[in-house]
């Protein structure tokens, strides 16, 4: 079993950020930019291997944001024309982040993650994984006014998102991928008491939405023997800020009703609630505890991580647990407010703690 892993994204090197800016300004060719991207991915792989992780990603370094694989590979989106979502931190500082919006019928242009996966697989002997966003996350890119010309209803749009994501999963499996992670921060809006009430006031039952999310995820996964599907749930992660709080109790049925074999859950602070909802995880499923924060520089000690793992093990047997950071280090290009050295030390701590708890 994989005991130590990264969730997905890693900090973008400064040279990669500058290169992307040059590409978008027309000062760098696509071929030149590709060489810079490849260098950054090579370094990301080396970092994860050096830190001792059991599975590696490409750091999502080819994406402008964690959902960029969808927006850049499928025609039909206005990249920055969607509604803005507010993120904030414990001190009350706020950041408004502009989302994409669908404005035309979705059309497949290229594989969303095929290049990411084939390049990654060719450069490491470690197990690898690919990250995709959930259909419910893509639901946020529908606007009743701006999208109506392309899709009269959100459901019609989501049906196409499901079909396109299923197609991508099939392509990844054809290429040899055996570990697919679905990132679903939108579930956090369905566990946060304030956001749940907001759904009710707008005429939507949050519990019915949870069931719809599970149904769409299951439709994407299908039946794929030999392939591990994982669900990652966090409460927002943008420049060390978040947008939701609350325990997993309101969405705990996703553990049993979803077809996922593995759940990567945010558990780095009190906003995540307790471990009691883990009792709802069926006996044939595994949970990766996101105990190491990517939002703050302080590196957690082995002892405190072991105490938290022991606490979780009172709800779910230790052999079915693993360890990771609580989320990516850079869900967007800007990245969280930590340094590359912080990132390295935290990944090392994840691997070190996993070895001490579960052995080699």
């Amino acid at each position: 079993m994989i005991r130590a892993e990264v969730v997905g994204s890693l900090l973008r090197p400064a040279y990669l950020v500058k290169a992307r800016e040059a590409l978008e300004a027309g000062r760098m060719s696509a071929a030149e930019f590709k060489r810079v991207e490849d260098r950054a991915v090579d370094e990301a792989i080396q970092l994860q291997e050096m830190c001792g992780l059991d599975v590696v990603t490409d750091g999502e370094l080819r994406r402008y944001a964690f959902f960029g694989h969808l927006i850049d590979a499928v025609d039909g989106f206005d990249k920055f024309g969607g509604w803005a979502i507010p993120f904030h931190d414990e001190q009350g500082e706020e950041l408004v982040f502009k989302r994409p919006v669908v404005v035309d019928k979705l059309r497949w242009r290229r594989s969303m993650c095929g290049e990411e996966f084939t390049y990654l697989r060719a450069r490491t002997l470690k197990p690898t994984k690919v990250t995709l966003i959930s259909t419910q996350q893509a639901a946020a890119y529908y606007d009743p006014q701006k999208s109506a010309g392309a899709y009269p209803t959100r459901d019609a749009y989501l049906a196409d998102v499901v079909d396109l994501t299923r197609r991508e999963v099939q392509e990844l499996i054809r290429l040899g991928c055996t570990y697919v992670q679905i990132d679903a921060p939108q579930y956090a809006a369905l566990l946060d008491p304030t956001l749940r009430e907001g759904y009710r006031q707008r005429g939507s039952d949050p519990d019915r939405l949870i069931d719809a999310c599970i149904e769409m995820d299951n439709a994407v996964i299908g039946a794929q023997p030999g392939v591990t599907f994982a669900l990652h749930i966090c409460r927002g992660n943008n420049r060390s800020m978040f947008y939701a709080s609350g325990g997993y109790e309101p969405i705990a049925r996703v553990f049993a009703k979803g077809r996922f074999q593995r759940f990567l859950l945010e558990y780095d602070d009190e906003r995540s609630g307790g471990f009691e909802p883990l009792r709802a995880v069926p006996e044939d499923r595994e949970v990766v505890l996101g105990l190491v924060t990517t939002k703050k520089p302080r590196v957690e000690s082995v002892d405190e991580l072991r105490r938290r793992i022991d606490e979780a093990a009172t709800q779910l047997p230790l052999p079915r647990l693993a360890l990771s950071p609580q989320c990516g280090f850079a869900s967007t290009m800007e990245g969280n407010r930590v340094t590359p050295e912080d990132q390295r030390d935290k990944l090392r701590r994840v691997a070190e703690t996993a070895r001490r708890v579960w052995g080699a």
Side-chain angles (χ1 to χ4, degrees):
M1 177 178 168
I2 294 168
R3 300 294 186 185
E5 62 184 287
V6 69
V7 168
S9 63
L10 297 173
L11 295 172
R12 273 67 165 179
Y15 67 79
L16 178 61
V17 175
K18 291 179 181 177
R20 182 175 282 274
E21 292 171 351
L23 175 72
E24 294 174 351
R27 301 192 305 272
M28 177 178 284
S29 71
E32 290 173 318
F33 180 67
K34 176 68 165 56
R35 286 192 289 271
V36 176
E37 268 191 337
D38 289 351
R39 171 191 165 191
V41 172
D42 289 345
E43 292 175 358
I45 295 168
Q46 293 164 8
L47 169 68
Q48 294 170 84
E49 291 179 336
M50 176 193 69
C51 289
L53 299 175
D54 296 329
V55 64
V56 301
T57 75
D58 77 336
E60 298 178 0
L61 298 184
R62 302 188 193 277
R63 307 180 188 183
Y64 75 94
F66 76 99
F67 50 78
H69 60 290
L70 173 67
I71 308 306
D72 286 341
V74 175
D75 288 329
F77 291 101
D78 177 344
K79 199 169 183 177
F80 301 108
W83 63 282
I85 182 171
F87 288 79
H88 50 90
D89 60 19
E90 292 88 345
Q91 288 72 45
E93 184 178 350
E94 188 169 281
L95 161 73
V96 176
F97 181 70
K98 294 289 286 185
R99 285 174 159 174
V101 61
V102 60
V103 293
D104 203 351
K105 197 77 171 175
L106 297 183
R107 295 178 303 278
W108 177 279
R109 187 167 70 251
R110 60 170 173 80
S111 171
M112 303 177 200
C113 309
E115 178 190 10
E116 292 178 0
F117 172 68
T118 54
Y119 188 92
L120 172 66
R121 182 188 59 185
R123 280 157 178 80
T124 183
L125 297 177
K126 291 270 191 179
T128 58
K129 74 173 176 181
V130 172
T131 59
L132 297 166
I133 64 166
S134 68
T135 305
Q136 174 63 4
Q137 176 65 27
Y141 311 150
Y142 182 89
D143 180 275
Q145 282 75 48
K146 296 180 179 180
S147 306
Y151 293 97
T153 66
R154 181 180 276 104
D155 286 347
Y157 157 67
L158 293 178
D160 274 2
V161 174
V162 168
D163 287 344
L164 289 165
T165 311
R166 279 176 60 90
R167 175 176 176 178
E168 182 65 22
V169 167
Q170 293 291 337
E171 174 66 6
L172 288 169
I173 292 171
R174 185 188 69 79
L175 292 171
C177 181
T178 58
Y179 189 172
V180 178
Q181 176 183 303
I182 305 295
D183 291 325
Q186 282 300 107
Y187 273 112
L190 299 171
L191 60 79
D192 183 294
T194 302
L195 296 177
R196 282 172 65 86
E197 182 57 30
Y199 275 112
R200 291 191 186 95
Q201 291 177 3
R202 293 190 297 272
S204 297
D205 181 346
D207 291 315
R208 292 185 64 182
L209 286 173
I210 293 168
D211 291 333
C213 294
I214 295 170
E215 183 178 348
M216 289 186 292
D217 287 337
N218 285 345
V220 166
I221 293 172
Q224 308 291 349
V227 180
T228 296
F229 285 90
L231 180 69
H232 169 60
I233 302 174
C234 77
R235 292 157 182 78
N237 186 61
N238 192 350
R239 284 176 256 187
S240 293
M241 299 186 190
F242 56 88
Y243 73 84
S245 300
Y248 291 100
E249 290 88 347
I251 64 167
R253 62 184 177 277
V254 71
F255 300 144
K257 291 188 175 182
R259 291 180 174 173
F260 298 98
Q261 299 99 351
R262 198 168 171 89
F263 299 96
L264 290 90
L265 304 180
E266 180 178 59
Y267 266 121
D268 63 324
D269 61 23
E270 63 278 358
R271 288 187 305 105
S272 304
F275 294 118
E276 290 78 10
L278 299 185
R279 296 175 186 170
V281 178
E283 292 183 358
D284 60 344
R285 316 291 171 86
E286 302 161 351
V287 169
V288 185
L289 301 170
L291 299 176
V292 174
T293 188
T294 64
K295 289 181 165 66
K296 299 176 182 178
R298 188 184 75 85
V299 179
E300 297 80 351
S301 71
V302 172
D303 286 343
E304 69 180 284
L305 293 174
R306 291 187 72 158
R307 285 195 299 271
R308 294 278 283 154
I309 293 168
D310 288 342
E311 185 182 346
T314 65
Q315 309 298 327
L316 200 69
L318 186 63
R320 291 167 53 202
L321 296 173
L323 182 63
S324 75
Q326 121 278 344
C327 197
F329 286 88
S331 297
T332 60
M333 283 291 293
E334 294 81 3
N336 282 348
R337 293 168 176 174
V338 295
T339 67
E341 292 73 27
D342 297 331
Q343 175 180 255
R344 178 201 63 209
D345 293 344
K346 285 173 176 287
L347 294 179
R348 281 178 172 169
R349 186 53 44 86
V350 167
E352 177 189 6
T353 304
R355 285 194 301 271
R356 294 197 187 185
V357 172
W358 291 283

